[in-house]
Amino acid sequence: MTGVCYATSAEMASELGPFPMFAPNRDNMLRVIRNHRRAALGQTSGYEKLSVDPVALIHGDCPDQTLIAHATAAWDKALELGEQHGYRNAQVSVIAPTGTIGLVMDCDTTGIEPDFALVKFKKLAGGGYFKIINRAVPEALRSLGYTESQIAEIEAYAVGHGNINQAPGVNPGSLKAKGFSDEKIEAINGATKAAFDIKFVFNQWTLGADFLRSLGVSDDAMNAIDFNLLDHLGFSKKEIEAANIHVCGAMTLEGAPFLKKEHLPVFDCANPCGKIGKRYLSVESHIRMMAAAQPFISGAISKTINMPNDATVEDCKSAYMLSWKLGLKANALYRDGSKLSQPLNASLIEDEEDEDAMEELLQAPAAAAAVTVTEKIVERVVERLVRARKAAEPPPGLHPEGRDRRPQGLSPHRRIRRRPSRRNLHRHAQGRRRLPRDDEQLRHRHLARPAIWRAA
């Protein structure tokens, strides 16, 4: 792409002339193009005026030698035309973040980024979502020699079966023993197809409030935001989690049936996948991935290098040093948990009585534990404050002393104060006009502005 762009830029220069500062920079510009060409030819030495040699294209690793032929031909042409006409453009290519446009184009990954997760949620035109595994996964499994039936089982493990019929722990048999009818079990199966978690399916909207009352659920408990019907019915957390993986999917291939352990690295992503995933790509793999592309991009590569929460200052130094040694022009590090409210964060502990989760929290690095605990505390404090405020609020429009202080025509929840105009402020500053009472209270805040406006 970059070689063809420079060749095209040289053709434009033959008609329109090169860029303004090409003449004084001709030698250096052509030197840069020659270095790009050497990288495309696979040369590991002979680069001009470079303290660090770039990562050259390894011809033997490319399964399609036609691509190699086209790449070398593009740079040959770019250099030949540039020597004749110069270049209309000094820079022709960068790799920018493509999150939004990548989704519009229905790409599996965004730009040079490795996949963030193997399982994605697709929004349906008629509403709702469905889960789909990265389309490269089935192809990779076929290349590794797995049969179609094995691939189907591996996919189902990742995205879920979408029903509770064969689920461990929570299934039609165990639910019937709790008082569920075939009709209610069908309703559950219908709702689990697009569910993120089976706990969200077992509620009054799926089963009906009367049915939940028949199971001994009070109205207060039913309407509580943290109510868990499965827990109320006596299912253990391990049973619920096992059923959840079967129905909604593990969101990872770790632990999938038939998948060989030595094949797991093929499916590693930028971060651990799902709740049970542990594997992820190393920092070095991110950097070397970028270094393989950098010699064929005239500008820089915009990409986040994900680091684990326990990364140290020395790890960051090593990442920057390796980036420099491999000739990268940019490096953006992100340590997991650096933002208190990062959008892609590990799930918080839902119940302090969950011993496994508490043990994981205690074994986590101090920074990671601090993020988890702080988020939990903030969540609870905010929830308590909101409840306290709602309990203390008077009815809309009623003053705490009992008088109706609501201004006519305004919202019952706020009173809009009229802001003084610039003209009135200017007259007030000259002593020719007295501001209304509300304006007088704002006098010190706005009085200096007329002088600024006159100066502007």
Side-chain angles (χ1 to χ4, degrees), residues 380-426:
R380 289 191 169 182
V381 170
V382 170
E383 182 180 354
R384 289 175 182 174
L385 286 174
V386 171
R387 288 180 177 176
R389 286 180 180 177
K390 287 185 177 180
E393 279 182 357
L398 186 63
H399 190 267
E401 299 177 2
R403 302 188 305 274
D404 190 353
R405 296 286 296 275
R406 182 175 64 197
Q408 294 296 323
L410 295 183
S411 167
H413 302 292
R414 62 176 181 171
R415 183 182 177 189
I416 303 175
R417 301 180 68 180
R418 185 168 60 86
R419 186 175 180 178
S421 66
R422 297 182 180 182
R423 185 175 181 181
N424 287 349
L425 281 170
H426 181 60

mmCIF file of all heavy atoms in Angstrom, residues 380-426:
data_model
loop_
_atom_site.group_PDB
_atom_site.id
_atom_site.type_symbol
_atom_site.label_atom_id
_atom_site.label_comp_id
_atom_site.label_asym_id
_atom_site.label_seq_id
_atom_site.Cartn_x
_atom_site.Cartn_y
_atom_site.Cartn_z
ATOM 1 N N ARG A 380 -21.464 1.362 46.809
ATOM 2 C CA ARG A 380 -22.374 1.259 47.953
ATOM 3 C C ARG A 380 -22.661 2.627 48.562
ATOM 4 O O ARG A 380 -23.788 2.914 48.956
ATOM 5 C CB ARG A 380 -21.765 0.331 48.997
ATOM 6 C CG ARG A 380 -21.772 -1.120 48.542
ATOM 7 C CD ARG A 380 -21.427 -2.037 49.672
ATOM 8 N NE ARG A 380 -21.693 -3.421 49.307
ATOM 9 C CZ ARG A 380 -21.515 -4.442 50.135
ATOM 10 N NH1 ARG A 380 -21.070 -4.217 51.350
ATOM 11 N NH2 ARG A 380 -21.786 -5.660 49.740
ATOM 12 N N VAL A 381 -21.632 3.481 48.633
ATOM 13 C CA VAL A 381 -21.843 4.806 49.205
ATOM 14 C C VAL A 381 -22.831 5.591 48.361
ATOM 15 O O VAL A 381 -23.754 6.234 48.866
ATOM 16 C CB VAL A 381 -20.502 5.553 49.329
ATOM 17 C CG1 VAL A 381 -20.739 7.012 49.678
ATOM 18 C CG2 VAL A 381 -19.634 4.899 50.394
ATOM 19 N N VAL A 382 -22.652 5.562 47.043
ATOM 20 C CA VAL A 382 -23.561 6.279 46.156
ATOM 21 C C VAL A 382 -24.975 5.739 46.292
ATOM 22 O O VAL A 382 -25.955 6.489 46.345
ATOM 23 C CB VAL A 382 -23.071 6.163 44.691
ATOM 24 C CG1 VAL A 382 -24.131 6.692 43.744
ATOM 25 C CG2 VAL A 382 -21.772 6.925 44.515
ATOM 26 N N GLU A 383 -25.098 4.426 46.369
ATOM 27 C CA GLU A 383 -26.428 3.823 46.496
ATOM 28 C C GLU A 383 -27.113 4.282 47.785
ATOM 29 O O GLU A 383 -28.295 4.619 47.796
ATOM 30 C CB GLU A 383 -26.296 2.300 46.479
ATOM 31 C CG GLU A 383 -27.626 1.578 46.551
ATOM 32 C CD GLU A 383 -27.450 0.063 46.538
ATOM 33 O OE1 GLU A 383 -26.319 -0.387 46.362
ATOM 34 O OE2 GLU A 383 -28.457 -0.642 46.725
ATOM 35 N N ARG A 384 -26.357 4.332 48.877
ATOM 36 C CA ARG A 384 -26.937 4.757 50.157
ATOM 37 C C ARG A 384 -27.320 6.230 50.119
ATOM 38 O O ARG A 384 -28.359 6.631 50.648
ATOM 39 C CB ARG A 384 -25.936 4.497 51.284
ATOM 40 C CG ARG A 384 -25.765 3.013 51.597
ATOM 41 C CD ARG A 384 -24.678 2.792 52.623
ATOM 42 N NE ARG A 384 -24.484 1.376 52.896
ATOM 43 C CZ ARG A 384 -23.509 0.903 53.676
ATOM 44 N NH1 ARG A 384 -22.666 1.736 54.258
ATOM 45 N NH2 ARG A 384 -23.390 -0.395 53.864
ATOM 46 N N LEU A 385 -26.473 7.068 49.508
ATOM 47 C CA LEU A 385 -26.787 8.490 49.414
ATOM 48 C C LEU A 385 -28.047 8.725 48.606
ATOM 49 O O LEU A 385 -28.889 9.554 48.965
ATOM 50 C CB LEU A 385 -25.606 9.245 48.795
ATOM 51 C CG LEU A 385 -24.384 9.442 49.701
ATOM 52 C CD1 LEU A 385 -23.245 10.059 48.904
ATOM 53 C CD2 LEU A 385 -24.734 10.322 50.884
ATOM 54 N N VAL A 386 -28.184 8.011 47.498
ATOM 55 C CA VAL A 386 -29.374 8.172 46.659
ATOM 56 C C VAL A 386 -30.618 7.779 47.428
ATOM 57 O O VAL A 386 -31.643 8.467 47.389
ATOM 58 C CB VAL A 386 -29.234 7.335 45.365
ATOM 59 C CG1 VAL A 386 -30.551 7.312 44.598
ATOM 60 C CG2 VAL A 386 -28.138 7.912 44.482
ATOM 61 N N ARG A 387 -30.538 6.677 48.146
ATOM 62 C CA ARG A 387 -31.703 6.240 48.931
ATOM 63 C C ARG A 387 -32.043 7.260 50.009
ATOM 64 O O ARG A 387 -33.211 7.552 50.267
ATOM 65 C CB ARG A 387 -31.416 4.882 49.558
ATOM 66 C CG ARG A 387 -31.400 3.731 48.542
ATOM 67 C CD ARG A 387 -31.105 2.418 49.226
ATOM 68 N NE ARG A 387 -31.144 1.307 48.292
ATOM 69 C CZ ARG A 387 -30.851 0.050 48.629
ATOM 70 N NH1 ARG A 387 -30.516 -0.236 49.881
ATOM 71 N NH2 ARG A 387 -30.902 -0.906 47.730
ATOM 72 N N ALA A 388 -31.011 7.794 50.693
ATOM 73 C CA ALA A 388 -31.258 8.758 51.760
ATOM 74 C C ALA A 388 -31.882 10.035 51.214
ATOM 75 O O ALA A 388 -32.793 10.606 51.814
ATOM 76 C CB ALA A 388 -29.945 9.072 52.482
ATOM 77 N N ARG A 389 -31.415 10.485 50.066
ATOM 78 C CA ARG A 389 -31.958 11.708 49.473
ATOM 79 C C ARG A 389 -33.405 11.514 49.057
ATOM 80 O O ARG A 389 -34.243 12.384 49.247
ATOM 81 C CB ARG A 389 -31.106 12.122 48.275
ATOM 82 C CG ARG A 389 -29.766 12.713 48.665
ATOM 83 C CD ARG A 389 -28.967 13.103 47.425
ATOM 84 N NE ARG A 389 -27.685 13.674 47.777
ATOM 85 C CZ ARG A 389 -26.772 14.050 46.882
ATOM 86 N NH1 ARG A 389 -27.033 13.897 45.592
ATOM 87 N NH2 ARG A 389 -25.622 14.552 47.279
ATOM 88 N N LYS A 390 -33.694 10.365 48.456
ATOM 89 C CA LYS A 390 -35.070 10.112 48.036
ATOM 90 C C LYS A 390 -36.012 10.074 49.228
ATOM 91 O O LYS A 390 -37.152 10.533 49.148
ATOM 92 C CB LYS A 390 -35.134 8.793 47.258
ATOM 93 C CG LYS A 390 -34.539 8.882 45.858
ATOM 94 C CD LYS A 390 -34.729 7.595 45.104
ATOM 95 C CE LYS A 390 -34.204 7.722 43.683
ATOM 96 N NZ LYS A 390 -34.381 6.457 42.921
ATOM 97 N N ALA A 391 -35.537 9.518 50.346
ATOM 98 C CA ALA A 391 -36.395 9.435 51.533
ATOM 99 C C ALA A 391 -36.633 10.818 52.147
ATOM 100 O O ALA A 391 -37.686 11.068 52.740
ATOM 101 C CB ALA A 391 -35.752 8.517 52.570
ATOM 102 N N ALA A 392 -35.644 11.718 52.013
ATOM 103 C CA ALA A 392 -35.761 13.044 52.637
ATOM 104 C C ALA A 392 -36.395 14.077 51.729
ATOM 105 O O ALA A 392 -36.721 15.170 52.185
ATOM 106 C CB ALA A 392 -34.377 13.522 53.069
ATOM 107 N N GLU A 393 -36.546 13.781 50.446
ATOM 108 C CA GLU A 393 -37.084 14.765 49.504
ATOM 109 C C GLU A 393 -38.560 15.044 49.770
ATOM 110 O O GLU A 393 -39.347 14.113 49.966
ATOM 111 C CB GLU A 393 -36.922 14.275 48.068
ATOM 112 C CG GLU A 393 -35.533 14.494 47.502
ATOM 113 C CD GLU A 393 -35.456 14.037 46.061
ATOM 114 O OE1 GLU A 393 -36.476 13.512 45.572
ATOM 115 O OE2 GLU A 393 -34.396 14.188 45.439
ATOM 116 N N PRO A 394 -38.974 16.331 49.798
ATOM 117 C CA PRO A 394 -40.409 16.654 49.919
ATOM 118 C C PRO A 394 -41.093 16.388 48.589
ATOM 119 O O PRO A 394 -40.439 16.231 47.558
ATOM 120 C CB PRO A 394 -40.401 18.150 50.234
ATOM 121 C CG PRO A 394 -39.140 18.651 49.596
ATOM 122 C CD PRO A 394 -38.138 17.531 49.735
ATOM 123 N N PRO A 395 -42.396 16.330 48.564
ATOM 124 C CA PRO A 395 -43.113 16.139 47.296
ATOM 125 C C PRO A 395 -42.782 17.259 46.323
ATOM 126 O O PRO A 395 -42.436 18.370 46.732
ATOM 127 C CB PRO A 395 -44.601 16.189 47.713
ATOM 128 C CG PRO A 395 -44.587 15.867 49.162
ATOM 129 C CD PRO A 395 -43.314 16.383 49.717
ATOM 130 N N PRO A 396 -42.852 16.996 45.015
ATOM 131 C CA PRO A 396 -42.534 18.023 44.022
ATOM 132 C C PRO A 396 -43.343 19.297 44.223
ATOM 133 O O PRO A 396 -44.563 19.262 44.391
ATOM 134 C CB PRO A 396 -42.902 17.349 42.695
ATOM 135 C CG PRO A 396 -42.806 15.889 42.980
ATOM 136 C CD PRO A 396 -43.234 15.725 44.405
ATOM 137 N N GLY A 397 -42.631 20.442 44.238
ATOM 138 C CA GLY A 397 -43.301 21.732 44.357
ATOM 139 C C GLY A 397 -43.568 22.177 45.779
ATOM 140 O O GLY A 397 -44.014 23.284 46.001
ATOM 141 N N LEU A 398 -43.283 21.326 46.758
ATOM 142 C CA LEU A 398 -43.580 21.674 48.149
ATOM 143 C C LEU A 398 -42.298 22.068 48.861
ATOM 144 O O LEU A 398 -41.326 21.330 48.868
ATOM 145 C CB LEU A 398 -44.225 20.482 48.869
ATOM 146 C CG LEU A 398 -44.717 20.741 50.293
ATOM 147 C CD1 LEU A 398 -45.829 21.782 50.269
ATOM 148 C CD2 LEU A 398 -45.195 19.456 50.931
ATOM 149 N N HIS A 399 -42.267 23.271 49.448
ATOM 150 C CA HIS A 399 -41.107 23.747 50.189
ATOM 151 C C HIS A 399 -40.997 22.950 51.485
ATOM 152 O O HIS A 399 -42.016 22.518 52.060
ATOM 153 C CB HIS A 399 -41.271 25.246 50.481
ATOM 154 C CG HIS A 399 -40.025 25.863 51.022
ATOM 155 N ND1 HIS A 399 -39.769 25.981 52.357
ATOM 156 C CD2 HIS A 399 -38.958 26.394 50.366
ATOM 157 C CE1 HIS A 399 -38.600 26.570 52.528
ATOM 158 N NE2 HIS A 399 -38.082 26.825 51.336
ATOM 159 N N PRO A 400 -39.779 22.723 51.991
ATOM 160 C CA PRO A 400 -39.648 21.982 53.261
ATOM 161 C C PRO A 400 -40.466 22.568 54.392
ATOM 162 O O PRO A 400 -40.881 21.854 55.305
ATOM 163 C CB PRO A 400 -38.137 22.068 53.541
ATOM 164 C CG PRO A 400 -37.506 22.224 52.194
ATOM 165 C CD PRO A 400 -38.481 23.026 51.381
ATOM 166 N N GLU A 401 -40.710 23.886 54.373
ATOM 167 C CA GLU A 401 -41.507 24.495 55.433
ATOM 168 C C GLU A 401 -43.007 24.354 55.182
ATOM 169 O O GLU A 401 -43.814 24.772 55.995
ATOM 170 C CB GLU A 401 -41.151 25.980 55.547
ATOM 171 C CG GLU A 401 -39.682 26.224 55.912
ATOM 172 C CD GLU A 401 -39.355 27.699 55.933
ATOM 173 O OE1 GLU A 401 -40.288 28.501 55.711
ATOM 174 O OE2 GLU A 401 -38.184 28.051 56.188
ATOM 175 N N GLY A 402 -43.382 23.786 54.028
ATOM 176 C CA GLY A 402 -44.793 23.577 53.759
ATOM 177 C C GLY A 402 -45.376 24.514 52.745
ATOM 178 O O GLY A 402 -46.508 24.350 52.310
ATOM 179 N N ARG A 403 -44.640 25.611 52.374
ATOM 180 C CA ARG A 403 -45.174 26.575 51.426
ATOM 181 C C ARG A 403 -44.784 26.168 50.009
ATOM 182 O O ARG A 403 -43.696 25.659 49.774
ATOM 183 C CB ARG A 403 -44.618 27.980 51.724
ATOM 184 C CG ARG A 403 -44.935 28.460 53.116
ATOM 185 C CD ARG A 403 -44.511 29.928 53.254
ATOM 186 N NE ARG A 403 -43.112 30.127 52.915
ATOM 187 C CZ ARG A 403 -42.111 29.983 53.758
ATOM 188 N NH1 ARG A 403 -42.374 29.589 55.005
ATOM 189 N NH2 ARG A 403 -40.873 30.216 53.389
ATOM 190 N N ASP A 404 -45.654 26.436 49.083
ATOM 191 C CA ASP A 404 -45.379 26.137 47.690
ATOM 192 C C ASP A 404 -44.527 27.256 47.105
ATOM 193 O O ASP A 404 -45.004 28.351 46.872
ATOM 194 C CB ASP A 404 -46.697 26.012 46.903
ATOM 195 C CG ASP A 404 -46.433 25.469 45.501
ATOM 196 O OD1 ASP A 404 -45.239 25.335 45.143
ATOM 197 O OD2 ASP A 404 -47.416 25.186 44.795
ATOM 198 N N ARG A 405 -43.220 27.014 46.945
ATOM 199 C CA ARG A 405 -42.289 28.022 46.475
ATOM 200 C C ARG A 405 -41.965 27.848 45.000
ATOM 201 O O ARG A 405 -41.019 28.440 44.504
ATOM 202 C CB ARG A 405 -40.982 27.909 47.282
ATOM 203 C CG ARG A 405 -41.153 28.200 48.750
ATOM 204 C CD ARG A 405 -41.335 29.693 48.962
ATOM 205 N NE ARG A 405 -40.147 30.420 48.554
ATOM 206 C CZ ARG A 405 -39.098 30.604 49.354
ATOM 207 N NH1 ARG A 405 -39.121 30.154 50.595
ATOM 208 N NH2 ARG A 405 -38.049 31.274 48.929
ATOM 209 N N ARG A 406 -42.707 27.026 44.301
ATOM 210 C CA ARG A 406 -42.386 26.762 42.904
ATOM 211 C C ARG A 406 -42.774 27.950 42.038
ATOM 212 O O ARG A 406 -43.918 28.391 42.048
ATOM 213 C CB ARG A 406 -43.132 25.517 42.419
ATOM 214 C CG ARG A 406 -42.813 25.144 40.969
ATOM 215 C CD ARG A 406 -43.496 23.846 40.592
ATOM 216 N NE ARG A 406 -44.942 23.983 40.625
ATOM 217 C CZ ARG A 406 -45.788 22.973 40.664
ATOM 218 N NH1 ARG A 406 -45.323 21.749 40.728
ATOM 219 N NH2 ARG A 406 -47.081 23.172 40.667
ATOM 220 N N PRO A 407 -41.836 28.515 41.253
ATOM 221 C CA PRO A 407 -42.183 29.621 40.349
ATOM 222 C C PRO A 407 -43.153 29.140 39.280
ATOM 223 O O PRO A 407 -43.117 28.003 38.850
ATOM 224 C CB PRO A 407 -40.824 29.998 39.723
ATOM 225 C CG PRO A 407 -39.791 29.386 40.619
ATOM 226 C CD PRO A 407 -40.416 28.184 41.213
ATOM 227 N N GLN A 408 -44.033 30.029 38.875
ATOM 228 C CA GLN A 408 -45.027 29.685 37.879
ATOM 229 C C GLN A 408 -44.352 29.363 36.541
ATOM 230 O O GLN A 408 -43.483 30.090 36.083
ATOM 231 C CB GLN A 408 -46.013 30.851 37.687
ATOM 232 C CG GLN A 408 -46.865 31.119 38.909
ATOM 233 C CD GLN A 408 -47.775 29.946 39.213
ATOM 234 O OE1 GLN A 408 -48.285 29.303 38.300
ATOM 235 N NE2 GLN A 408 -47.988 29.671 40.502
ATOM 236 N N GLY A 409 -44.808 28.258 35.957
ATOM 237 C CA GLY A 409 -44.335 27.906 34.623
ATOM 238 C C GLY A 409 -42.987 27.220 34.589
ATOM 239 O O GLY A 409 -42.474 26.948 33.512
ATOM 240 N N LEU A 410 -42.355 26.976 35.749
ATOM 241 C CA LEU A 410 -41.048 26.340 35.750
ATOM 242 C C LEU A 410 -41.169 24.901 36.228
ATOM 243 O O LEU A 410 -42.176 24.477 36.781
ATOM 244 C CB LEU A 410 -40.086 27.110 36.655
ATOM 245 C CG LEU A 410 -39.742 28.537 36.206
ATOM 246 C CD1 LEU A 410 -38.733 29.133 37.161
ATOM 247 C CD2 LEU A 410 -39.203 28.543 34.782
ATOM 248 N N SER A 411 -40.102 24.156 36.007
ATOM 249 C CA SER A 411 -40.069 22.755 36.421
ATOM 250 C C SER A 411 -40.215 22.664 37.934
ATOM 251 O O SER A 411 -39.692 23.498 38.665
ATOM 252 C CB SER A 411 -38.739 22.127 35.988
ATOM 253 O OG SER A 411 -38.559 20.895 36.622
ATOM 254 N N PRO A 412 -40.923 21.671 38.441
ATOM 255 C CA PRO A 412 -41.080 21.542 39.897
ATOM 256 C C PRO A 412 -39.780 21.172 40.597
ATOM 257 O O PRO A 412 -39.705 21.238 41.812
ATOM 258 C CB PRO A 412 -42.118 20.423 40.027
ATOM 259 C CG PRO A 412 -41.978 19.633 38.777
ATOM 260 C CD PRO A 412 -41.651 20.624 37.714
ATOM 261 N N HIS A 413 -38.755 20.740 39.847
ATOM 262 C CA HIS A 413 -37.539 20.260 40.488
ATOM 263 C C HIS A 413 -36.430 21.297 40.523
ATOM 264 O O HIS A 413 -35.398 21.093 41.117
ATOM 265 C CB HIS A 413 -37.022 19.010 39.766
ATOM 266 C CG HIS A 413 -38.020 17.910 39.740
ATOM 267 N ND1 HIS A 413 -38.408 17.241 40.862
ATOM 268 C CD2 HIS A 413 -38.740 17.385 38.702
ATOM 269 C CE1 HIS A 413 -39.310 16.330 40.543
ATOM 270 N NE2 HIS A 413 -39.524 16.396 39.246
ATOM 271 N N ARG A 414 -36.578 22.424 39.844
ATOM 272 C CA ARG A 414 -35.538 23.433 39.872
ATOM 273 C C ARG A 414 -36.136 24.795 39.552
ATOM 274 O O ARG A 414 -37.176 24.901 38.923
ATOM 275 C CB ARG A 414 -34.427 23.092 38.872
ATOM 276 C CG ARG A 414 -34.921 23.050 37.433
ATOM 277 C CD ARG A 414 -33.764 22.806 36.478
ATOM 278 N NE ARG A 414 -34.243 22.780 35.111
ATOM 279 C CZ ARG A 414 -33.457 22.766 34.058
ATOM 280 N NH1 ARG A 414 -32.159 22.770 34.206
ATOM 281 N NH2 ARG A 414 -33.955 22.745 32.828
ATOM 282 N N ARG A 415 -35.430 25.828 39.955
ATOM 283 C CA ARG A 415 -35.826 27.189 39.645
ATOM 284 C C ARG A 415 -34.730 27.821 38.804
ATOM 285 O O ARG A 415 -33.565 27.852 39.211
ATOM 286 C CB ARG A 415 -36.018 27.987 40.929
ATOM 287 C CG ARG A 415 -36.499 29.409 40.665
ATOM 288 C CD ARG A 415 -36.620 30.177 41.953
ATOM 289 N NE ARG A 415 -37.015 31.546 41.711
ATOM 290 C CZ ARG A 415 -37.018 32.480 42.650
ATOM 291 N NH1 ARG A 415 -36.661 32.184 43.867
ATOM 292 N NH2 ARG A 415 -37.375 33.722 42.355
ATOM 293 N N ILE A 416 -35.085 28.297 37.646
ATOM 294 C CA ILE A 416 -34.112 28.870 36.731
ATOM 295 C C ILE A 416 -33.939 30.350 37.058
ATOM 296 O O ILE A 416 -34.905 31.114 37.023
ATOM 297 C CB ILE A 416 -34.558 28.689 35.265
ATOM 298 C CG1 ILE A 416 -34.764 27.215 34.979
ATOM 299 C CG2 ILE A 416 -33.556 29.303 34.301
ATOM 300 C CD1 ILE A 416 -35.315 26.932 33.601
ATOM 301 N N ARG A 417 -32.717 30.745 37.350
ATOM 302 C CA ARG A 417 -32.448 32.142 37.698
ATOM 303 C C ARG A 417 -32.082 32.905 36.428
ATOM 304 O O ARG A 417 -31.244 32.465 35.647
ATOM 305 C CB ARG A 417 -31.313 32.222 38.708
ATOM 306 C CG ARG A 417 -31.615 31.457 39.981
ATOM 307 C CD ARG A 417 -30.472 31.554 40.949
ATOM 308 N NE ARG A 417 -30.345 32.920 41.441
ATOM 309 C CZ ARG A 417 -29.401 33.280 42.318
ATOM 310 N NH1 ARG A 417 -28.538 32.409 42.749
ATOM 311 N NH2 ARG A 417 -29.330 34.539 42.730
ATOM 312 N N ARG A 418 -32.706 34.061 36.260
ATOM 313 C CA ARG A 418 -32.449 34.864 35.068
ATOM 314 C C ARG A 418 -31.051 35.454 35.137
ATOM 315 O O ARG A 418 -30.650 36.049 36.128
ATOM 316 C CB ARG A 418 -33.487 35.981 34.961
ATOM 317 C CG ARG A 418 -33.364 36.793 33.673
ATOM 318 C CD ARG A 418 -34.588 37.674 33.507
ATOM 319 N NE ARG A 418 -34.727 38.608 34.620
ATOM 320 C CZ ARG A 418 -34.115 39.792 34.666
ATOM 321 N NH1 ARG A 418 -33.319 40.140 33.674
ATOM 322 N NH2 ARG A 418 -34.294 40.594 35.681
ATOM 323 N N ARG A 419 -30.298 35.279 34.042
ATOM 324 C CA ARG A 419 -28.940 35.778 33.994
ATOM 325 C C ARG A 419 -28.931 37.199 33.426
ATOM 326 O O ARG A 419 -29.646 37.488 32.466
ATOM 327 C CB ARG A 419 -28.088 34.867 33.106
ATOM 328 C CG ARG A 419 -26.612 35.221 33.091
ATOM 329 C CD ARG A 419 -25.864 34.181 32.293
ATOM 330 N NE ARG A 419 -24.445 34.483 32.255
ATOM 331 C CZ ARG A 419 -23.549 33.721 31.648
ATOM 332 N NH1 ARG A 419 -23.953 32.635 31.030
ATOM 333 N NH2 ARG A 419 -22.279 34.053 31.653
ATOM 334 N N PRO A 420 -28.152 38.110 34.004
ATOM 335 C CA PRO A 420 -28.136 39.490 33.505
ATOM 336 C C PRO A 420 -27.580 39.567 32.093
ATOM 337 O O PRO A 420 -26.671 38.843 31.737
ATOM 338 C CB PRO A 420 -27.222 40.215 34.491
ATOM 339 C CG PRO A 420 -26.355 39.149 35.055
ATOM 340 C CD PRO A 420 -27.215 37.929 35.123
ATOM 341 N N SER A 421 -28.127 40.478 31.307
ATOM 342 C CA SER A 421 -27.637 40.661 29.950
ATOM 343 C C SER A 421 -26.350 41.471 29.975
ATOM 344 O O SER A 421 -26.017 42.142 30.965
ATOM 345 C CB SER A 421 -28.687 41.392 29.108
ATOM 346 O OG SER A 421 -28.867 42.708 29.601
ATOM 347 N N ARG A 422 -25.605 41.454 28.883
ATOM 348 C CA ARG A 422 -24.360 42.220 28.802
ATOM 349 C C ARG A 422 -24.643 43.726 28.896
ATOM 350 O O ARG A 422 -23.893 44.480 29.526
ATOM 351 C CB ARG A 422 -23.647 41.906 27.484
ATOM 352 C CG ARG A 422 -23.222 40.448 27.352
ATOM 353 C CD ARG A 422 -22.474 40.242 26.051
ATOM 354 N NE ARG A 422 -22.067 38.860 25.892
ATOM 355 C CZ ARG A 422 -21.359 38.416 24.858
ATOM 356 N NH1 ARG A 422 -21.005 39.271 23.906
ATOM 357 N NH2 ARG A 422 -21.009 37.156 24.776
ATOM 358 N N ARG A 423 -25.725 44.135 28.262
ATOM 359 C CA ARG A 423 -26.056 45.561 28.262
ATOM 360 C C ARG A 423 -26.354 46.040 29.678
ATOM 361 O O ARG A 423 -25.900 47.115 30.097
ATOM 362 C CB ARG A 423 -27.256 45.788 27.351
ATOM 363 C CG ARG A 423 -27.613 47.256 27.175
ATOM 364 C CD ARG A 423 -28.721 47.400 26.158
ATOM 365 N NE ARG A 423 -29.063 48.792 25.941
ATOM 366 C CZ ARG A 423 -30.013 49.192 25.111
ATOM 367 N NH1 ARG A 423 -30.691 48.270 24.420
ATOM 368 N NH2 ARG A 423 -30.276 50.470 24.952
ATOM 369 N N ASN A 424 -27.142 45.267 30.448
ATOM 370 C CA ASN A 424 -27.462 45.654 31.818
ATOM 371 C C ASN A 424 -26.223 45.685 32.700
ATOM 372 O O ASN A 424 -26.077 46.548 33.574
ATOM 373 C CB ASN A 424 -28.497 44.706 32.403
ATOM 374 C CG ASN A 424 -29.871 44.939 31.809
ATOM 375 O OD1 ASN A 424 -30.088 45.924 31.114
ATOM 376 N ND2 ASN A 424 -30.793 44.026 32.074
ATOM 377 N N LEU A 425 -25.325 44.710 32.481
ATOM 378 C CA LEU A 425 -24.091 44.697 33.263
ATOM 379 C C LEU A 425 -23.266 45.941 32.977
ATOM 380 O O LEU A 425 -22.668 46.555 33.873
ATOM 381 C CB LEU A 425 -23.286 43.437 32.941
ATOM 382 C CG LEU A 425 -23.769 42.141 33.619
ATOM 383 C CD1 LEU A 425 -23.038 40.954 33.026
ATOM 384 C CD2 LEU A 425 -23.529 42.210 35.117
ATOM 385 N N HIS A 426 -23.203 46.336 31.711
ATOM 386 C CA HIS A 426 -22.425 47.515 31.327
ATOM 387 C C HIS A 426 -23.019 48.786 31.959
ATOM 388 O O HIS A 426 -22.300 49.643 32.483
ATOM 389 C CB HIS A 426 -22.396 47.629 29.806
ATOM 390 C CG HIS A 426 -21.596 48.804 29.312
ATOM 391 N ND1 HIS A 426 -20.251 48.956 29.596
ATOM 392 C CD2 HIS A 426 -21.964 49.882 28.555
ATOM 393 C CE1 HIS A 426 -19.809 50.062 29.033
ATOM 394 N NE2 HIS A 426 -20.826 50.647 28.401
#
